[in-house]
Amino acid sequence: MEGYRRRRLVDRLMTGLTFLATALAVLFLISVLGYVVVQGLPGLNLDLFTSTPRPVGEPGGGMATAMVGSLYLVFLACLFGLPLGILTGVFLSEYGGRWLAPLARFVIDVLTGLPSIIVGLFVYAVVVRPLETFSALAGGLALGILMIPTVARTTEEMLRLVPLDLREAALALGIRQWRTIVSVVIPTALSGIVTGSILAIARVGGETAPLLFTAFGNRDWNFDPLQPTAALTLQIFTYAISPYEEWHRQAWAGALVLMVAILGLNIATRLAARGHWRPW
Amino acid sequence: MTTATRTPKGIRVERLNAGYGRQQVLRDITLEFAPGQVTALIGPSGSGKSTLIRCLNRLHEILPGAWVRGKVLLDGMDVYAPGVDPALVRRRIGMVFQRPNPFPTMSIFDNVAAGLKLVGGYDRRRLAEIVEQSLRRAALWDEVKDRLHQPGTALSGGQQQRLCIARALAVGPEVLLMDEPASALDPASTLRIEALMRELCREVTIVVVTHNMQQAARVSDYTGLLLPGPDRVAELVEFGPTSQIFTTPRDRRTEDYITGRLG
């Protein structure tokens, strides 16, 4: 029994420590959420959603262009990132090959950790410079590139969960591999693929850095893919570092809207994943 | 090509060798599956029975590293000849698996129609006809005719397996491969599947893999015994009419195996 008391003490101490660490972590996160809510609520009004930005000094104005701009950018990003990501996932899971798939998987995993500003720089160099203009297209492209790793890897994982049985059953009916993938394998894994896609959207929806020198921002409405476009995160950034009280207020309100939107997407993800696992 | 019913065809296997990578599974298998008959392949686990029938419809080759040498002649045509499309071979040689595997996202109707729908060229009325006919042939029609649009996975295990049989029949194969089709089912469902095999063999040649010797004795006209040799590569030990295999086996190993002294 030598050291019994010490071992028991260490055990209890460590149990307490992990609990404390968890409580602290949750506290920080809740504080962030709470702070944004408290700071953002006063600036929240209808104008924020319906008005375009006003020049400094003029009261009122809102972030309508920025919100729509963000949606537009995410839409362009999906147009580019979802097909590429999903098809890559299909390749990794269903075709692969001996060395190509492991290599591609490695590159994709490295890309997952790539700082987003570097993607922005890359798009600046290969799209913005040659076209000689900041543009929605460049912004959407940057976000789309950032989506690819998440979408590709979740698609691959979800397709791998589909039993080999089903693929064999389809092939044994004389159905070709591509038809088998499209009509049997993907529908079986669909909720997982949707989940991965929404997660990827939620991830890039809050990006600022890659938009700084691609979409650039715009005070007016723009739906021309070859013109600079406003984005919620960009406007929050611009307003937050400005010296004007009114803009600060709007920046907090914009941040609250962004946070709620991303939170909503995450909840949607859980709903889409229901049936596979229940988080509550 | 438009009718779901075809005449049964025979398959002749000549000096078939198969395996994965460096591991050989089958050595020099030569035998003939007679048209319109039920042939059972028996043998212990790991004796290559499944590999053998998966070579017949070219499903073996989809696994990584798989290889096949030798000939498989379907009604005289070598399915491994250059230029032969495996998808077309599989439409002539259907397959039912050990575990019932209806497509989980499809209704009962769509499961049966899958092999036709996903290839295209069938109008709805023709599809409905073939689905009904196939479900009748699989002795499932009466149980599901009022709920064709429910998911196939809502059926019981035995019904799911008959659904898989209907799905295979809908394509109009001339041969039906069955890989331990009843081993995941209860005794009553097993007997239904066996009765079905006796019915179906008039229209489609049946090759059934089983590790259940009573089942082989009950359903088959011919039986082949596969046993792994000293190097673990399986060979065909004996092949002949089922009654002869079970009463007067010529090979000592067959007698040992069916009396339970081997395997």
Side-chain angles (χ1 to χ4, degrees):
Chain A
M1 294 308 279
E2 197 185 335
Y4 168 76
R5 285 170 60 86
R6 191 182 56 81
R7 288 198 300 273
R8 196 175 60 166
L9 193 71
V10 168
D11 182 54
R12 292 200 177 157
L13 206 71
M14 292 315 289
T15 309
L17 215 61
T18 57
F19 175 78
L20 207 69
T22 309
L24 215 62
V26 172
L27 188 75
F28 279 134
L29 293 175
I30 293 201
S31 303
V32 172
L33 295 185
Y35 197 70
V36 173
V37 171
V38 169
Q39 294 282 332
L41 274 179
L44 210 58
N45 53 41
L46 199 62
D47 261 6
L48 191 76
F49 296 92
T50 56
S51 299
T52 55
R54 302 253 169 91
V56 184
E58 271 185 52
M63 297 189 161
T65 48
M67 290 178 197
V68 173
S70 272
L71 290 178
Y72 184 46
L73 285 171
V74 167
F75 168 74
L76 289 176
C78 289
L79 227 51
F80 173 69
L82 287 185
L84 223 60
I86 290 173
L87 285 175
T88 304
V90 168
F91 174 80
L92 291 179
S93 160
E94 307 297 312
Y95 297 97
R98 255 157 219 242
W99 55 271
L100 192 53
L103 185 74
R105 201 173 289 128
F106 174 74
V107 171
I108 288 165
D109 285 344
V110 170
L111 280 175
T112 310
L114 194 69
S116 57
I117 194 158
I118 291 178
V119 174
L121 275 173
F122 170 76
V123 173
Y124 177 78
V126 303
V127 179
V128 176
R129 291 285 291 274
L131 292 179
E132 293 177 337
T133 173
F134 296 109
S135 62
L137 182 74
L141 209 62
L143 297 185
I145 292 175
L146 285 168
M147 286 175 76
I148 292 172
T150 322
V151 175
R153 290 291 267 143
T154 40
T155 300
E156 183 197 359
E157 299 297 330
M158 293 304 141
L159 293 180
R160 277 178 185 280
L161 288 179
V162 176
L164 186 63
D165 279 27
L166 293 179
R167 294 181 179 82
E168 292 193 336
L171 291 173
L173 289 172
I175 298 168
R176 281 171 207 287
Q177 190 174 8
W178 176 243
R179 261 278 113 189
T180 299
I181 292 169
V182 170
S183 300
V184 175
V185 182
I186 289 181
T188 308
L190 194 62
S191 78
I193 296 172
V194 170
T195 304
S197 303
I198 301 180
L199 268 180
I201 292 171
R203 200 206 135 189
V204 301
E207 283 288 355
T208 319
L211 297 179
L212 286 171
F213 24 76
T214 54
F216 191 70
N218 192 334
R219 310 191 123 265
D220 290 313
W221 297 103
N222 170 53
F223 292 102
D224 181 349
L226 293 177
Q227 290 298 316
T229 299
L232 193 51
T233 50
L234 284 177
Q235 198 168 354
I236 292 170
F237 175 69
T238 314
Y239 277 25
I241 59 171
S242 78
Y244 314 110
E245 196 57 39
E246 167 70 11
W247 280 17
H248 288 173
R249 218 165 50 83
Q250 286 193 27
W252 279 113
L256 177 60
V257 171
L258 180 66
M259 199 178 74
V260 169
I262 305 264
L263 221 61
L265 277 181
N266 276 299
I267 291 170
T269 310
R270 310 239 149 158
L271 290 178
R274 258 187 157 172
H276 288 293
W277 53 279
R278 283 169 187 277
W280 45 64
Chain B
M1 282 298 281
T2 49
T3 165
T5 322
R6 291 187 185 177
T7 45
K9 297 280 164 59
I11 294 184
R12 182 167 170 75
V13 177
E14 283 176 14
R15 302 207 60 177
L16 188 79
N17 290 268
Y20 306 91
R22 283 184 196 160
Q23 174 67 48
Q24 185 165 359
V25 178
L26 297 171
R27 179 186 298 125
D28 281 342
I29 308 285
T30 297
L31 79 169
E32 190 149 0
F33 301 103
Q37 308 283 318
V38 178
T39 302
L41 293 171
I42 59 173
S45 299
S47 61
K49 310 180 292 285
S50 294
T51 304
L52 174 53
I53 66 163
R54 291 167 62 95
C55 285
L56 304 183
N57 66 344
R58 295 192 61 173
L59 203 58
H60 174 63
E61 69 201 44
I62 69 165
L63 297 171
W67 54 268
V68 180
R69 322 225 185 298
K71 282 185 179 172
V72 173
L73 303 159
L74 169 61
D75 195 30
M77 180 201 78
D78 186 1
V79 305
Y80 285 102
V84 172
D85 182 348
L88 296 182
V89 171
R90 293 171 193 148
R91 297 186 81 72
R92 298 180 63 187
I93 306 178
M95 189 162 190
V96 175
F97 297 81
Q98 181 169 3
R99 269 192 345 174
N101 53 4
F103 301 129
T105 56
M106 295 185 196
S107 66
I108 293 171
F109 183 96
D110 286 341
N111 259 286
V112 181
L116 304 172
K117 248 185 173 174
L118 300 186
V119 172
Y122 290 84
D123 65 72
R124 288 182 59 184
R125 260 190 51 199
R126 185 78 191 116
L127 271 181
E129 273 172 34
I130 296 178
V131 166
E132 174 174 348
Q133 185 193 2
S134 305
L135 284 167
R136 283 188 189 282
R137 290 169 76 194
L140 189 60
W141 175 252
D142 290 331
E143 292 158 63
V144 300
K145 63 183 175 199
D146 300 321
R147 46 174 173 152
L148 290 174
H149 296 287
Q150 286 180 14
T153 44
L155 299 173
S156 75
Q159 289 173 325
Q160 284 189 22
Q161 194 61 303
R162 277 179 282 144
L163 178 63
C164 293
I165 293 173
R167 179 176 69 186
L169 292 175
V171 184
E174 296 146 332
V175 180
L176 186 62
L177 310 174
M178 304 178 95
D179 191 355
E180 303 194 24
S183 67
L185 305 180
D186 61 83
S189 301
T190 300
L191 289 177
R192 294 200 72 157
I193 301 279
E194 289 178 4
L196 196 53
M197 281 153 68
R198 291 310 318 167
E199 279 286 309
L200 287 174
C201 70
R202 279 182 258 156
E203 308 159 7
V204 53
T205 306
I206 292 181
V207 180
V208 57
V209 161
T210 176
H211 54 228
N212 179 336
M213 280 178 286
Q214 287 76 27
Q215 183 172 67
R218 282 193 299 265
V219 300
S220 69
D221 303 296
Y222 293 90
T223 298
L225 170 66
L226 290 166
L227 285 177
D231 56 355
R232 297 236 203 110
V233 182
E235 294 172 323
L236 185 68
V237 169
E238 189 164 354
F239 182 82
T242 298
S243 54
Q244 178 250 309
I245 295 282
F246 280 92
T247 54
T248 52
R250 295 203 185 92
D251 194 295
R252 179 65 191 268
R253 288 169 294 172
T254 310
E255 192 176 342
D256 287 348
Y257 182 73
I258 59 180
T259 54
R261 277 185 296 235
L262 193 70

